[in-house]
Amino acid sequence: MAKRRVSSAADGAKGAAGARSVKDTQLEIETKDGAGATLTTNQGVPINDDQDTLKAGPRGPSLLEDFHFREKITHFDHERIPERVVHARGSAAHGVFRVYESLDRYSRAGFLTDAARETPVFVRFSTVAGSRGSTDLARDVRGFAVKFYTEEGNFDLVGNNMPVFFIQDALKFPDLIHAVKPEPHNEIPQAASAHDTFWDFISLMPESMHMIMWVMSDRAIPRSFRMMEGFGVHTFRLVDTRGTSRFVKFHWKPLLGVHSVAWDEAQKISGKDSDFLRRDLWEAIEGGDFPEWELGLQIVEEKDEFAFGFDLLDPTKLIPEELVPVQRVGKMTLNRNPDNFFAETEQVAFHIGHVVPGIDFSNDPLLQGRLFSYTDTQLIRLGGPNFHEIPINRPIAPMHNNQRDGHMRQQIDRGQVSYQPNSLGDNDPAQAPRAAGGYVTYPQATEGTKIRARGESFFDHYSQARMFFRSQSQPEQQHLIKALRFELGKVETPAIRRRMVEHLAQIDSMLATTVARGLGIELPKKVSAPPNLSVPADGDKKAHQHRDVMDRDIVSAALSIAGFVPGSIATRKVAILVAPRFDGAGVAALVKALAAEGAKGQLVGPVVGEIKSDDGDVHQAGFSILTTASVLFDAVFVAGGPGAADWSSEADAIEFVRDAFKHCKTVGASGEGIRLLEAARIPVGEGGGPAPADAATIVAAKGTRAVAQRFVKSMADGRLWSREPALHLPL
Ligand code: HDE
C-alpha cells in the first residue's frame, strides 16, 4: 500500500509548480495493491474473521452489532453508479501524445507548440446506444474521447469515429437518443438501431441522412478500436499568440489503417465474444503492440468561412479532404492499460468544454449544447460537483481556486479566505494575464435578434449523403444497401419503410431502388422528398426548402475504407487448425512468416492443450474448435497431416472455415487439410491448386515457406470482397 500526501489549495499557491505526471496525480490519494497487507474495515480496524457473520450461537440469529458485516454489505449495496445515458459501453487506455513540430503558426496551446513535450492522454472508446454490458460489435457510432493532461490544464477532444452527426441542434439530442434506445414499453432491442422508433424519428429528420450513410456503412462495425479513424466532428478554433483565429476540424488517423468486419461476422462475434473490441485493445497493449494514431488538422482561414457552400457550423457536413487536406501534425500512442476499470474507465468524465488556451469554440449549435450537457451529466453520474478530484479526472497542471465543499470533497482547503477580491490573503490565487497563460476567449463579434431558427445554409440534407454513397467502393456500397435492407426489414410499420426509401431516392436512385426491392416496395420514377417535420409549424417556409449545395458528381476518395488498407498485417491473428500429427514444418514456416510481419499464428486443436506434430514435437493448442470461432480471427489455415482428414466430419470445423470464406478472409490449407475446405464447399482448384479467381484461397500439397509467404501477401491485400457476388443472390 503506497500512501502519498493529499494536496491542498494552499500548496504551491505562489507561482505555478512544475507539472506532474498523470500517475503522480492519480496516486496522490492512497492506492492499494494489497501486497502483504492486513484486512481491515474502512476505519482501519484489523478484521479477525471475514467468513461468518456475528451470531448469537452457531445456529442463532445474526446480531445487529456486527459493524464489519454492515459496513461491507452497505458498501456493496452501493457499488453501482448510474451508467452513462449514452456511450455506456466503453473501453479505455492510457498513452502519450507528441506534436511533430511546433504549430505556433496556428495555436498557442503548449501541447501543440512544444515538440519536446510528451503529453499524457487517456482515451475511451465506446458504442452509443447499448448498456454497459452490451456487445462491442453492435452497428453503431463509436465514441473516440481523448483527455489530454496538458501542462496548461486538461483538454478533452470528445469525438466519434464518424465525422458528422445525426442532428444539427442540441435540442433534438434527447429525441434522437429516446428513439434509438430500446423501446420504452418492452426494453427491446438492446444496442441496435434496427427497430421502429429509431427509423420513425430518422425518416422525419432529413438532416440525419448523411450520418445514416455512415452508420449503415462498414465504419459502424470496426475490426478494432485500433483501426478506426477519429473525428472532432464540430468546427473548432485554433488561436495563436497574436490572437488570430482559424477554424479547425480535428482528425485521428490510425497507423494500422481502417478495417471493418462483415455484418454477418459482427452478429456472430456478438455471440462468440461480446467483449471482442475490449479484449483486442487490452491484449494489444499487454502484448506491447501499442496502437498509434496521427493527429490531423484541417485548417480554414477566417476569411474562407463561407467559401464552401455548406456551412462550417453545420455538424451534418464534413469538409472533403480533397478541398482542405488533412495535415498530420503529431502522434498519439496508447501504451498502458488501466489498473482498475471502474476507477478509470467508468469514472473518467469528459467534457467538450475542457479546453486550454489556444483552442476555442465555434457557434455550431450542437457544440454549444454539448457545452452544457457534459458537466450536468457528471453531477448525477458521479454524484456531485467534485468529480474533478477523482484521480483519473485530475489535471496535472496545478489547480487553485475559491470553489469549496460539496459532496465527497477530498481537498482540505486551508485558511480564512475563499473569495476574491480579498485583502486578507493577498488576492491568492491570482488571475493570470493573457501573457502569463490566462485563457482569453476569442473575441468573435456577435449580434442578432433572439430567434429559434437555423441558418438557411443548413438546409442541404442530401448532397453530402450522396457524396458519401458515391465515394464508396462497389463492395462497400453493397454492404450499405444490405445494412439498410436489414435495418428497415426489421421495421414493422410499412409507412416508415416507405418514407425512408423516399429519402434514399433523393440521395441516389440506384441506392433507393435496390433497397426498395429488398423491402418489396415499388418506387415510381420520380419521388419527391418527404416533408421535413423537424421544423416548427410556423417556421419560415422558404428557408426550409431543401437545396443541394454541392456538385452532384463530387466524390471523395478519403471517405472509402478501401483507400486505407496499409498493406501491413501487423497485430492480425490467424487461426491454424491442427489435428494430431499435423504438418509441423509447414505450420512452423507459417507462424514464422506471420511473426516476421508482426502477426500471430495461433493453434486451434480438436481439444485445448498438448498436441503433437508429425515430427514428434509437442505444441500447445491455446484454443479448441469449441472455445473459439473463425469470426475472432483475421484468416484461417488448415494444416495438413494424417489427422487433418478427420476435420471434414466435424460440423464445427466445417462452419469455422466456411464462415472465414464467407467473410472474405484469406483461407488456406495444405495436404489433407484441403479436405476440410472441400467439405465446406470452398472452391479449390483442380488437383488442390489455387481456386481460379480467388487470390485469397491458398492451397498446396505441403505447407512450405513459399506457401506461407503467399498467405501473408494475400492477407496484406485486405479482405477479398470481390468473392461476395459468387456467394449471394444479386441484390
Ligand atoms: Fe455526447 N454525451 N452528446 N456526443 N459523447 C455524452 O456525457 C451529448 C455528441 C460523445 O467516453 C454524455 O459523460 C449531447 C457528438 C462521446 O465518457 C452526455 C449531444 C459527439 C461520449 C452527452 C451529444 C459526442 C459522449 C453521456 C448533442 C461526437 C462518451 C456521458 C448536442 C463529436 C465520452 C457523458 C466517454 C458522452 C451529451 C452529441 C461524443 C450526456 C447533449 C456530436 C465520445 O453528456
Side-chain angles (χ1 to χ4, degrees), residues 654 657-658 661 667 676-684 694 697:
I654 293 173
V657 291
R658 181 72 200 164
F661 183 74
V667 178
L676 177 60
L677 304 196
E678 287 166 346
R681 297 202 291 127
I682 294 172
V684 289
D694 196 337
T697 311

Side-chain angles (χ1 to χ4, degrees), residues 84 87 124 158-160 170 173 233 350 370 373-374 377-378:
R84 287 167 174 80
H87 297 267
R124 184 172 180 273
V158 197
N160 278 344
F173 192 63
V233 176
F350 292 95
R370 292 178 72 200
S373 184
Y374 286 70
T377 206
Q378 313 308 345

